[in-house]
Each structure stands twice: as C-alpha cells, then as structure tokens.
Amino acid sequence: MTDATQSIGILQFALDGIVEQQQTIANNIANEDTPGYQADQVTFESSLSNALANGGEATAESVPEGLSPGANGNNVSLPTEMTLMQENDLQNQTVVNALDDQFALLSDAITG
Amino acid sequence: MWEAIDIAGSGASVDQTWIDSIGGNVANMNDGVTPGQPVYQAQYIDAAAQAEPGDPQSIGDGYGVRVQSVVEGPAQGQIEYDPTDPVANAQGNVEFPVVNLGSEMTDLVQSQTSYQANSAVMSHATSAYQSILSIKA
C-alpha cells in the first residue's frame, strides 16, 4: 500500500521527467533546421514502472530518437515533435491533477 | 527556470535573423552595378545547436540554437547585357548579384514554419508551467 507522501514522491519524479521531456522537445523544434542536428528523446516511464514493480531507483534518460536524417544530416521531424508536445501537455495535466488530489487528501486529513 | 520558453525563444530569434537575411537578399537581387564595382553579396545564415544559453562559444546540444555565422554569397555577380541600363559599361554589360529567387522563397516558407513551431512551443510551455504553478495544498 502506497501512502500519500510516497505517492507525492512518485508524482514529483514523473513531473520532473515530463518537464525534462518538454525541454528536449523544445530543443528539437528549435534545431529543426540546424545542419547535422540529431533529435533526442527523454524516457522515464518504463524505468519508473519497473522501479515501482521491482523496487530500486528510477531514472530519466535522454536517448537519440534515431530517425533517418534528411539532406543536411538533420533528423528532426516536426509532426513527430508536435505530437510528442501534445502528449507531454496531457501527461503534465494528468500529473498536476493527481498531485492536487494528493494534497487535497492530505489537507483534509490534517484539518479534519 | 522556464527553459522550454528560452529554448523556443532562441529558435524564433534564429528564424527572425533568417527571415531578415532572405528579405535583404530578395530586396537587393536587382541591384545592378557597372561590372567591376562591388556587387551585393547574398547573406546566408549558418545555425548551430548551443549547449549554454546565450554563450556564443558553447557548441553542443541541449539549450536551443544560435546563429553561428553569416555566410556570404559569391562576390562575383552575373553579367547581363543591357545597354539601356544607366549603369551599363561601354560594352553594355551590367553585373547583378547572384540570388536565386526560387530558393529564397523556399527558405522563406521554411523559416516561417519554423517560427510558428517555436511560437507554438512557447504557448504550450507557458500553459504547462502555469498548471504546475497552480499546484497547492
């Protein structure tokens, strides 16, 4: 059974990962036309679910997206980044709502 | 803080410089001169990823983009025969800058799309930061 502070810790880790993801997406889009630039992607989801299931530390890591590059060696796909940005928005809202709920529970418990 | 907004801002500012240079190239493409006189050289933007905000020396990945250098087009223009041009030389030749209107227009569309994408990132990042700021106990 996870208690409220544990849940908050997990959500905080997820929110950090989401913010890092958002920063990476922004960086990919800013370098959409930079010759030779390779797009990156931040993943933390599988590491987090693994840590929740089996214990241990969860980490967020940045890996190359690995799409095939165009004529100037750049492999940023604007449609891909726009899709990732929408997903990132929704994940952000979900985690923020969940954090709000956790704090509301705690607050109710404290004030009675 | 607000990294995503800074990063998108660096992208939009490179796009702005790019659009400015396209404007200059198109505006000057018909600047004929007497052959031998200095002719307008097209300006092209060379962008590079940056690792640190606002540091022109930082090369690498992680914090947006910057204009690395402005590359100039050929100093030697293309010669055209037009004896009616007031700047034509004794042989009736005029020298025009080397600017390819087709590729300038393509670049313009590309830079506008990129500017829009960066501006979309800014509004998304703003709403994301605002929702984080709204967390309260």
Side-chain angles (χ1 to χ4, degrees), chain B residues 38-98:
Chain B
V39 70
Y40 174 81
Q41 284 173 262
Q43 314 258 302
Y44 302 103
I45 301 305
D46 183 19
Q50 66 179 3
E52 297 292 330
D55 177 4
Q57 301 305 320
S58 78
I59 300 166
D61 212 6
Y63 214 100
V65 63
R66 69 193 158 82
V67 173
Q68 182 170 244
S69 63
V70 177
V71 182
E72 290 202 314
Q76 180 74 49
Q78 46 204 3
I79 306 290
E80 279 171 35
Y81 179 71
D82 183 7
T84 61
D85 197 308
V87 299
N89 65 6
Q91 289 77 40
N93 288 332
V94 186
E95 188 177 352
F96 286 101
V98 181

Side-chain angles (χ1 to χ4, degrees), chain A residues 89-106:
Chain A
D89 260 13
L90 291 173
Q91 278 184 318
N92 181 67
Q93 279 171 28
T94 311
V95 172
V96 165
N97 287 344
L99 269 170
D100 261 339
D101 290 347
Q102 290 295 333
F103 281 126
L105 278 176
L106 271 181

Side-chain angles (χ1 to χ4, degrees), chain A residues 8-9 17 27 32 36 51 56-57 70 75 77 86-87 90 96:
Chain A
I8 289 170
N27 197 41
E32 195 218 336
E57 207 55 14
N75 74 347
S77 151
Q86 291 292 351
E87 283 176 5
L90 291 173
V96 165

Side-chain angles (χ1 to χ4, degrees), chain A residues 3-81:
Chain A
D3 64 27
T5 45
Q6 226 179 329
S7 300
I8 289 170
I10 294 163
L11 289 167
Q12 192 187 339
F13 173 80
L15 190 55
D16 281 343
I18 289 165
V19 168
E20 218 174 301
Q21 247 172 8
Q22 179 202 46
Q23 194 179 329
T24 305
I25 295 165
N27 197 41
N28 291 341
I29 292 175
N31 284 289
E32 195 218 336
D33 297 305
T34 307
Y37 177 82
Q38 301 288 306
D40 286 325
Q41 200 172 19
V42 171
T43 57
F44 65 89
E45 293 91 338
S46 53
S47 168
L48 179 58
S49 68
N50 187 44
L52 287 175
N54 309 319
E57 207 55 14
T59 51
E61 59 171 351
S62 179
V63 291
E65 258 176 29
L67 297 172
S68 56
N72 64 353
N74 183 303
N75 74 347
V76 178
S77 151
L78 203 51
T80 306
E81 298 306 326

